[in-house]
Amino acid sequence: MAIIEVKDLVKHYGEQRAADGVSFTVDEGEIFGILGPNGAGKTTTVECVAGLRDRDAGTVSVMGLDPARDAKELKQILGVQLQESRLPDKMRVGEALDLYRSFYPNPADPDRLIESLGLGAKRRTPFGKLSGGQQQRLSIALALIGNPRIAVLDELTTGLDPQARRDTWDLIEQVRDTGVTIILVTHFMDEAERLCDRLAVIDSGKVVAVDSPAGLTARVSAEQRVRFRPSAEFADALLLDLPEVAGVERNGPQVVVSGSGNLLQAVASVLARNHIVAADLRVEQVSLDDAFVALTGKSIEN
Amino acid sequence: MSSFMKLVQAEARLFVRDTTALVVGLLLPAVILLGLGAVPMLREPSPEMGGIRFIDYFAPSMIVMSVGVVGLTNLPTVMAGYRERGVLRRMRTTPVHPAKLLSAQLVVNVGAALVSSLLVIVAGRIAYGVPLPESPLWFALAFVLGITAVFALGMLVAATAATSRAASGIASVLFMSTMFFGGVYLPRFMLPDAVARIGDFVPPGVQTLLDSWNGETPAALPLLVMAATALAAGTASARIFKWE
């Protein structure tokens, strides 16, 4: 069931159209990704959904509320973790939660939240003395302290080290498991691939595609490649006879087999039957990165 | 506890944890008065000051300083810092508008200005027998109008400054002007007449504080100017205040 519906959302800043007819729906209980390069209009879109910015055109409905009209009610059921929102350096973790808790009618239990976010030992630590990952976790805690039905998380692993990123991902999955619907704004492919049930690819203020990560890659191409170095010579026909194989290329000592379906299994068993050992065996699949390039005509990093 | 009281509590805690705000904002004016009073000559009646002692004459200037430090320096710097760090932006995502945070800041800073002024009065009284304000009602009126005007100017700086550095830059110009015209840098009898006369109208209005302290009825015009400044700057800042 759709918990958020966005239709033909338009928002411009002067001449620039940050959101140019954005439409998507988010289902209850899913992690919905908004993926796009910097400046694509991701933040503008979620700000219009969260009632932080007024849209110029289109309709937005969040659990039946219109963010432009019902911003106050909306903020009680929607928690937001914004990019680069800090706290005063000398405010302590426990104090921040206690303060933000008082802003909501039915807040969460701050002690349980602190424990579940792994900040139990940091209760008396001031914000300025927390590591980047801990600050980010506190930020998530503040987005969740109001017991929201929906949490919007904007670029939350930017600037974190790999371990802290993985910990944050686990945390988001835990939050989803408690029934909170999550909108995750990101420009990291691996993050989108790992976490999102579905995602909207946004580029230049427009939605290019909405699908699951697997659906997006399948859209671009179902082709796979298997690459290996054979221990003995063999004729290409050996592999070309297989229904899964579309082509065989030779690249010096390397053989590159392209095809679809259960390609790896088919190739491996034929080689094994012929007593050929495949060294440096690698399977290459179309990644979300490739899908993104195919959909938008550019790489996400630029 | 209501969200507003929680905010006041949180801001008060942060004020106390900020050593600079605490020392300069709360204690320094009283300490300077105590220091100057330690010079015997400044405790003798002097003909240049109409037969009163320097220390009596100078006490209102220290109140100017108390009010100026918190209203023109601390308030705008902290608020602009909150804008810069995204504290205001984060609050906008909650059901409580950041205007409540601004109100809490005002409560805490006005409170600090009161405590600091009280320390000046009490320290002068106990250490050197500086008389308490002799027209308490006029003094209270002059103080309230003066402090409101200064804080309204501080709010104007806080309204749009994008960073705390920018805020403290603008604020320090205002602060130094206030201190200069308020006779903190040079006692006012040493200032040219025209400058001293302008000083009557520069918030918080040192002459009205001095007059009411000495039991005279302060002139109406400077009081009106304070009220007008407070109203104009206060309204303007409320209109243009950027909440993120």
Side-chain angles (χ1 to χ4, degrees):
Chain A
M1 206 198 82
I3 195 168
I4 299 171
E5 289 178 59
V6 178
K7 204 161 183 314
D8 305 325
L9 172 71
V10 174
K11 171 77 194 176
H12 31 88
Y13 303 114
E15 288 293 292
Q16 195 207 343
R17 289 175 94 98
D20 191 4
V22 170
S23 303
F24 59 85
T25 60
V26 178
D27 292 336
E28 184 154 16
E30 73 175 338
I31 300 183
F32 186 84
I34 295 187
L35 180 72
N38 289 328
K42 302 178 304 255
T43 297
T44 302
T45 300
V46 294
E47 283 179 340
C48 290
V49 171
L52 297 173
R53 242 173 243 296
D54 291 332
R55 60 186 183 267
D56 294 321
T59 56
V60 178
S61 167
V62 183
M63 291 182 78
L65 299 172
D66 179 346
R69 209 184 47 226
D70 317 310
K72 197 154 179 156
E73 291 91 322
L74 179 64
K75 286 168 186 177
Q76 294 180 1
I77 55 159
L78 183 138
V80 187
Q81 183 271 326
L82 292 161
Q83 268 183 86
E84 288 162 22
S85 272
R86 301 171 60 77
L87 286 172
D89 275 340
K90 295 200 171 165
M91 183 175 274
R92 295 175 184 162
V93 170
E95 291 167 359
L97 282 161
D98 188 44
L99 176 63
Y100 277 70
R101 185 180 190 273
S102 75
F103 297 166
Y104 294 92
N106 300 302
D109 176 358
D111 289 330
R112 274 178 54 189
L113 200 53
I114 283 182
E115 290 301 337
S116 71
L117 287 164
L119 290 169
K122 299 285 169 189
R123 223 170 290 239
R124 293 185 54 77
T125 307
F127 182 82
K129 294 248 155 60
L130 296 175
S131 71
Q134 291 163 345
Q135 290 183 348
Q136 208 61 288
R137 269 181 278 159
L138 176 56
S139 202
I140 297 170
L142 293 179
L144 298 176
I145 188 75
N147 248 335
R149 300 286 308 280
I150 303 166
V152 176
L153 308 171
D154 192 356
E155 298 284 5
L156 83 168
T157 61
T158 303
L160 297 189
D161 62 62
Q163 185 58 46
R165 286 185 76 201
R166 275 191 288 275
D167 291 347
T168 310
W169 290 346
D170 289 343
L171 183 69
I172 291 166
E173 283 174 332
Q174 284 170 33
V175 172
R176 190 261 308 273
D177 292 344
T178 65
V180 179
T181 305
I182 293 172
I183 295 190
L184 185 75
V185 178
T186 185
H187 70 280
F188 293 122
M189 292 293 172
D190 51 348
E191 188 164 294
E193 205 154 16
R194 153 87 194 263
L195 287 176
C196 298
D197 297 306
R198 291 190 310 134
L199 48 98
V201 177
I202 295 194
D203 184 37
S204 307
K206 287 186 167 35
V207 176
V208 183
V210 180
D211 211 331
S212 64
L216 282 175
T217 51
R219 250 181 222 222
V220 177
S221 163
E223 196 184 73
Q224 306 171 38
R225 281 169 181 200
V226 174
R227 223 179 250 276
F228 61 92
R229 205 157 35 79
S231 60
E233 284 303 313
F234 66 94
D236 288 0
L238 193 67
L239 294 174
L240 284 168
D241 285 347
L242 294 166
E244 288 88 353
V245 174
V248 176
E249 272 176 66
R250 295 201 178 243
N251 201 350
Q254 231 183 23
V255 179
V256 183
V257 186
S258 56
S260 55
N262 218 341
L263 182 67
L264 175 63
Q265 174 96 40
V267 170
S269 42
V270 165
L271 293 177
R273 266 203 305 280
N274 292 280
H275 309 290
I276 299 166
V277 177
D280 298 336
L281 180 71
R282 264 201 306 256
V283 181
E284 291 169 0
Q285 270 176 314
V286 177
S287 67
L288 200 50
D289 262 309
D290 300 324
F292 188 85
V293 174
L295 287 165
T296 65
K298 57 180 124 167
S299 158
I300 198 159
E301 300 303 333
N302 313 316
Chain B
M1 208 189 294
S2 75
S3 57
F4 182 65
M5 288 314 292
K6 283 272 184 195
L7 279 165
V8 171
Q9 185 190 36
E11 294 307 311
R13 257 196 216 119
L14 293 173
F15 184 95
V16 174
R17 282 179 198 157
D18 180 352
T19 320
T20 316
L22 198 63
V23 171
V24 178
L26 281 190
L27 303 176
L28 192 63
V31 169
I32 291 179
L33 191 73
L34 288 175
L36 286 173
V39 180
M41 200 183 76
L42 302 181
R43 296 198 305 267
E44 300 297 325
S46 147
E48 283 132 327
M49 283 166 280
I52 63 170
R53 303 180 305 166
F54 177 85
I55 198 79
D56 300 332
Y57 179 88
F58 197 65
S61 291
M62 286 299 100
I63 290 197
V64 171
M65 184 173 174
S66 299
V67 175
V69 169
V70 281
L72 285 177
T73 309
N74 196 54
L75 173 73
T77 318
V78 170
M79 283 311 293
Y82 285 177
R83 181 175 297 118
E84 183 180 6
R85 298 173 69 88
V87 174
L88 299 179
R89 210 164 120 77
R90 187 197 297 277
M91 259 198 89
R92 281 195 60 219
T93 71
T94 75
V96 173
H97 193 273
K100 266 198 187 169
L101 174 61
L102 174 62
S103 309
Q105 263 293 313
L106 280 171
V107 168
V108 169
N109 282 294
V110 167
L114 286 174
V115 170
S116 177
S117 301
L118 204 65
L119 284 177
V120 167
I121 294 172
V122 170
R125 171 83 187 139
I126 293 176
Y128 309 120
V130 174
L132 297 179
E134 285 169 29
S135 301
L137 286 179
W138 280 118
F139 182 79
L141 181 70
F143 185 79
V144 167
L145 287 177
I147 199 172
T148 313
V150 167
F151 272 73
L153 289 174
M155 291 260 290
L156 202 54
V157 179
T160 56
T163 65
S164 61
R165 275 181 76 90
S168 78
I170 308 165
S172 63
V173 173
L174 280 178
F175 177 72
M176 287 198 202
S177 317
T178 306
M179 296 301 101
F180 174 70
F181 287 110
V184 175
Y185 297 142
L186 272 182
R188 290 184 341 121
F189 65 84
M190 293 169 74
L191 294 174
D193 278 353
V195 173
R197 184 76 187 133
I198 294 170
D200 294 351
F201 299 96
V202 172
V206 66
Q207 189 64 43
T208 53
L209 290 172
L210 183 61
D211 287 344
S212 54
W213 202 317
N214 292 336
E216 293 162 33
T217 305
L221 192 58
L223 288 175
L224 287 173
V225 170
M226 294 314 134
T229 307
L231 198 65
T235 313
S237 65
R239 285 247 171 92
I240 62 174
F241 206 94
K242 283 167 65 177
W243 294 111
E244 63 172 71

